[in-house]
Amino acid sequence: MIASRTLAWALFAAWITWFFALQARLSAGSSAAPWVPDLGLVLSLSLLARLEEREAPVLALVLALSRSAFSSEPAVALLAGSLGLVLLALAARSVVELTGPLWRALITGGLVLSFDLWLALVQAARSPDAIGRLPVGAGALLAAALSSATLALVAGPALAHLPGLTPLRRRPW
Amino acid sequence: MGSSRSRTLHLIVFLFLAALSLRPWKSFEDKIEVAFEPARALRGLTLPLAWLSAREVRAAETALLAGEDSRRATGRAVLASAQTSAAPADLALARGRGLIHAEVVARALDDPNRAIVRFAPGSEVARGMPAVCGDFYVGRVVSVDPSRPGEGAIDLVTGKDFRVGGAVFDPGSGSGGRTAGEPALLVVGGVVPRGREKAELLLATHCPSDPSLAAGLVRVREIDAPGNDPYRGLADGFRLGSLERVQRGGTNLLAVRPGLDYSSGLFQIAVVCPSQHAAAGLNLAQDPFVEDRWLDGHLALAGDPSFWREGRVLSAGTDQGVEDGAALSLGASFLGCVVRAGHSTSKVRLLGDAGLEFSALANPESGGRPLAPGTSDAPFTIGRLVSLGRDRSDGVLLLRWEAAIPLEMDGSNGPVQAVLYTASGQRAVPPGLRIGTTVLPRGRGPFLLRVRQEQDGLSFTRVRVWRGLRASGRPDGQENDRP
């Protein structure tokens, strides 16, 4: 039982690493970068909708670790962001049904917006004299949230059913 | 997290981490970075993605490296030319004096008004010698580190306790009991309070011999100063700036408007010494193109999951000699800096990552000639540039330029087309690396510069990392380098 869950987490780490790599590659130098959905976060939130609450911190840790493999963000900011994201998602899950298409899309969009806003805030806070404002516009943040919400709407259940993740899903869809 | 107790615990952990993210605690953050570093091995899983674009990446790298020899030669020529701006243009100031070229490599960690400079080892630089930039007085040598040949510290005139004698050559001379042509005397040192709004930097004045002074050109006059300093008269005649009256905090103050940007535009200087001490020839203190001062590195997959950032992961760390702030280049082109060096991998910021700061000098292409500072046809320092990101529609870099000292060019009145190069001022970034072409507006800034690079380097996999004098085994300094 423990071995199968460990293997499932390892496979989740592999999947999310691939998703972040793909997301980074699609964004690099592209004028449409804000419209690239946050694939890694959408996958995480799709899984979180069915994950046991006691395992949510593991998801936050794997999320932060895999994103840091490609990111120049400070590790502590990624860790805080992913833990905050998971806590918000759990709070939302206790109020609405995240497996339903509408709520799934709305919550995913809102949380992606919050996560990106958090990282932008940290970047601005660490070089206040240099930037003096958020390094990314509200329109671009909304575009990323919208595309992520759309992806969650269309492919959320499919993402949660990626090969190897079955032991992590506890609640039926 | 089944119980409310565990939720509370996680909330506390989150708040703690959030606070540390916004107000970094270096030692704790270093531990987290070390703990996270093995996760970068996960990149290995995604190698096939890199293979997909390998051909176009190689083509872009090859295109940038084409004509590399001429680009290096140009970089060296620009650097050598920039060094001439340290010497006074007014020949009367150079007469009978020796000048030792020095390059500011950093500011002292505990005192931004103290500059760490590098000069040719063996130069007879001594404590008390004045330092100048062009026709302008900058400060004086306060120490020469015997453990580091070719390095010393200079106290700038902006320091709170710095004092230098001055003479005011004002149009109204003859007032205040002076005879016509006789300059008024005063003492200059420190800066006038800038207030919360961070008003422009002006030098403070003390003890004017004529309280009615309101304007005039201020030059150093130390020959009459008390003491046994053998070098005190060497700076006489160099300019401090122009005298003016300003309102600060409801008070009318007599201040000197400097001709230099002391906060971010001071890189090439000359130490004034008796003529028999002068070093011969130019000193290319940090030739950016010496091969053994560079380390070959490899960048991981292009892009950053945060779409507005230009970060990469470098497959080399402190074990290979990479240090925080080290410059990244391909050939003679500046691409970015290491933001945090881990043991075997490092985080890197490319030039389009908002918040990245570096110093630059400009080489005018349109035939314009800078009148101040430097007053020569040499490339001129434009000071600190801050990246505000990249215009995604056309890929140009957006850089903020403070332009504290307005650009004045003779010739045409229009903006100045120029090629930007890195300047000295950061130990880990060598001067002379090409940044890109831009148009420099005139007048006082801040301005937004649109800089076109030859290649943005966003997808490059091969880079070189500056390791500078570490290559020859010299230890780190205690300076405040800006990464």
Side-chain angles (χ1 to χ4, degrees), chain B residues 227-316:
Chain B
N228 297 319
D229 185 347
Y231 307 116
R232 69 179 180 223
L234 286 172
D236 279 13
F238 279 91
R239 294 164 66 160
L240 281 160
S242 54
L243 196 69
E244 59 183 63
R245 288 206 167 267
V246 291
Q247 286 287 339
R248 287 281 165 94
T251 312
N252 186 271
L253 297 170
L254 192 60
V256 176
R257 181 176 293 280
L260 292 172
D261 177 5
Y262 286 99
S263 54
S264 69
L266 189 63
F267 304 112
Q268 303 289 338
I269 62 172
V271 176
V272 186
C273 59
S275 56
Q276 67 270 23
H277 290 212
L282 289 168
N283 159 39
L284 204 56
Q286 286 198 65
D287 184 342
F289 307 116
V290 175
E291 289 300 326
D292 69 357
R293 291 185 177 179
W294 290 94
L295 178 78
D296 288 328
H298 184 268
L299 290 174
L301 190 73
D304 191 307
S306 302
F307 63 87
W308 65 92
R309 298 211 64 167
E310 284 189 11
R312 300 287 294 274
V313 175
L314 177 73
S315 301

Side-chain angles (χ1 to χ4, degrees), chain A residues 23 53-54 73 75 126, chain B residues 1 7 29 33 305-306 347:
Chain A
Q23 178 185 331
E53 191 169 332
R54 62 186 166 83
E73 311 280 3
R126 287 179 176 233
Chain B
M1 272 198 294
R7 280 192 182 194
E29 190 159 324
E33 291 289 346
S306 302
K347 290 181 178 179

Side-chain angles (χ1 to χ4, degrees), chain A residues 3-173:
Chain A
S4 70
R5 298 188 74 75
T6 306
L7 180 63
W9 278 117
L11 286 169
F12 173 70
W15 279 116
I16 197 171
T17 299
W18 258 91
F19 277 37
F20 277 134
L22 191 61
Q23 178 185 331
R25 186 70 194 90
L26 291 172
S27 302
S30 165
S31 57
W35 291 100
V36 175
D38 201 317
L39 301 173
L41 291 191
V42 174
L43 170 63
S44 300
L45 292 169
S46 299
L47 183 65
L48 187 64
R50 313 307 309 147
L51 194 68
E52 283 193 21
E53 191 169 332
R54 62 186 166 83
E55 288 192 293
V58 182
L59 185 139
L61 184 64
V62 174
L63 171 61
L65 284 168
S66 55
R67 189 162 176 132
S68 77
F70 304 96
S71 177
S72 56
E73 311 280 3
V76 68
L78 288 176
L79 200 52
S82 57
L83 188 56
L85 180 96
V86 164
L87 289 173
L88 282 174
L90 289 176
R93 196 174 80 167
S94 65
V95 179
V96 297
E97 183 50 70
L98 287 187
T99 53
L102 183 62
W103 284 116
R104 183 172 69 232
L106 281 176
I107 298 296
T108 299
L111 290 178
V112 167
L113 180 66
S114 307
F115 188 82
D116 285 349
L117 195 59
W118 163 250
L119 293 180
L121 193 65
V122 171
Q123 189 183 355
R126 287 179 176 233
S127 47
D129 294 337
I131 306 177
R133 59 180 174 82
L134 283 184
V136 59
L141 290 176
L142 285 171
L146 190 62
S147 61
S148 302
T150 307
L151 180 69
L153 179 70
V154 174
L159 292 176
H161 283 78
L162 284 172
L165 304 186
T166 305
L168 302 179
R169 293 193 308 271
R170 282 297 176 202
R171 299 163 70 197
W173 284 90

Side-chain angles (χ1 to χ4, degrees), chain B residues 257-426:
Chain B
R257 181 176 293 280
L260 292 172
D261 177 5
Y262 286 99
S263 54
S264 69
L266 189 63
F267 304 112
Q268 303 289 338
I269 62 172
V271 176
V272 186
C273 59
S275 56
Q276 67 270 23
H277 290 212
L282 289 168
N283 159 39
L284 204 56
Q286 286 198 65
D287 184 342
F289 307 116
V290 175
E291 289 300 326
D292 69 357
R293 291 185 177 179
W294 290 94
L295 178 78
D296 288 328
H298 184 268
L299 290 174
L301 190 73
D304 191 307
S306 302
F307 63 87
W308 65 92
R309 298 211 64 167
E310 284 189 11
R312 300 287 294 274
V313 175
L314 177 73
S315 301
T318 52
D319 292 349
Q320 288 76 34
V322 177
E323 63 176 342
D324 286 355
L328 241 69
S329 79
L330 186 63
S333 299
F334 182 48
L335 295 180
C337 290
V338 172
V339 65
R340 182 179 284 273
H343 288 297
S344 58
T345 58
S346 303
K347 290 181 178 179
V348 162
R349 298 174 80 176
L350 301 182
L351 292 183
D353 196 44
L356 185 71
E357 298 177 40
F358 50 91
S359 309
L361 56 87
N363 188 32
E365 280 190 323
S366 53
R369 194 166 72 85
L371 293 179
T375 316
S376 72
D377 57 359
F380 52 98
T381 297
I382 61 170
R384 190 175 64 145
L385 297 177
V386 182
S387 176
L388 297 181
R390 193 181 292 278
D391 186 335
R392 290 187 179 275
S393 63
D394 57 6
V396 300
L397 276 177
L398 304 174
L399 302 177
R400 191 178 71 198
W401 176 36
E402 291 299 334
I405 304 296
L407 180 65
E408 298 171 22
M409 312 283 286
D410 59 4
S412 70
N413 290 322
V416 182
Q417 181 86 23
V419 183
L420 301 185
Y421 293 85
T422 54
S424 54
Q426 294 168 264

